[in-house]
């Protein structure tokens, strides 16, 4: 019942990629991907850049060969970024996604809402001054 949380460690994926690879590699080597989670305690900046960097992350070949760390697959990343937490809480991910597919936030995104992590300010084409769709 013990899980490794990448909350603080995730910043290394961009700042110190080798340290991130070694830390994640140890977690995966000893516990497997089903015991590693990511939860963000970030309250000032959005974690999207870290999530995107993790999506691009590949375990270095020398660490896989020399230390026996596994290749980090898309499936493992999906487990770490939400699948494991969903499983522990009994959340059916496809059902939840279906339930929100036409909610207010999805509609705003389809109308050109800027990502919350964007440093750009001002409306997007076709949006009002708050970033929402014009009516």
């Amino acid at each position: 019942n013990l899980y490794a949380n990448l909350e603080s460690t995730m910043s290394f994926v961009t700042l110190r990629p080798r340290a991130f690879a070694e830390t994640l590699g140890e977690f995966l080597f000893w516990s497997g991907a089903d015991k590693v989670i990511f939860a963000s305690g970030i309250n000032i900046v959005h974690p999207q850049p870290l999530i995107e960097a993790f999506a691009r992350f590949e375990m270095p070949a020398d660490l896989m060969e020399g230390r026996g760390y596994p290749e980090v697959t898309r499936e493992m990343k999906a487990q770490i970024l939400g699948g494991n937490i969903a499983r522990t809480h009994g959340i059916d991910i496809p059902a939840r996604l279906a339930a929100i597919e036409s909610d207010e936030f999805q509609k705003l995104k389809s109308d050109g809402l800027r990502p919350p992590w964007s440093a750009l300010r001002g409306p997007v084409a076709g949006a009002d001054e708050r970033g929402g769709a014009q009516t």
Side-chain angles (χ1 to χ4, degrees):
N1 293 335
L2 183 65
Y3 288 79
N5 185 348
L6 296 176
E7 180 175 6
S8 297
T9 308
M10 190 66 90
S11 67
F12 290 159
V13 75
T14 56
L15 299 174
R16 297 183 59 211
R18 181 70 178 199
F20 177 80
E22 291 172 344
T23 303
L24 179 62
E26 287 295 316
F27 289 161
L28 296 174
F29 181 84
W30 292 106
S31 66
D34 63 334
K35 293 288 189 172
V36 180
I37 61 173
F38 170 69
S40 172
I42 298 173
N43 60 3
I44 296 176
V45 297
H46 198 282
Q48 189 66 28
L50 296 177
I51 293 168
E52 290 173 358
F54 181 62
R56 293 186 303 272
F57 172 80
E58 294 180 12
M59 183 62 70
D62 68 301
L63 293 178
M64 290 189 288
E65 294 165 10
R67 297 195 192 169
Y69 296 162
E71 176 183 0
V72 181
T73 64
R74 285 180 61 108
E75 293 77 19
M76 293 167 82
K77 292 173 185 178
Q79 281 181 278
I80 292 167
L81 290 175
N84 290 332
I85 288 292
R87 185 187 72 247
T88 62
H89 291 282
I91 296 170
D92 179 344
I93 293 175
R96 289 290 175 104
L97 290 174
I100 65 168
E101 75 182 16
S102 61
D103 72 0
E104 175 186 357
F105 297 104
Q106 293 300 326
K107 288 177 185 173
L108 287 171
K109 286 194 314 192
S110 70
D111 287 339
L113 180 67
R114 290 186 185 274
W117 56 94
S118 174
L120 303 174
R121 298 292 179 245
V124 240
D128 65 20
E129 61 278 350
R130 294 174 300 120
Q134 290 180 349
T135 54

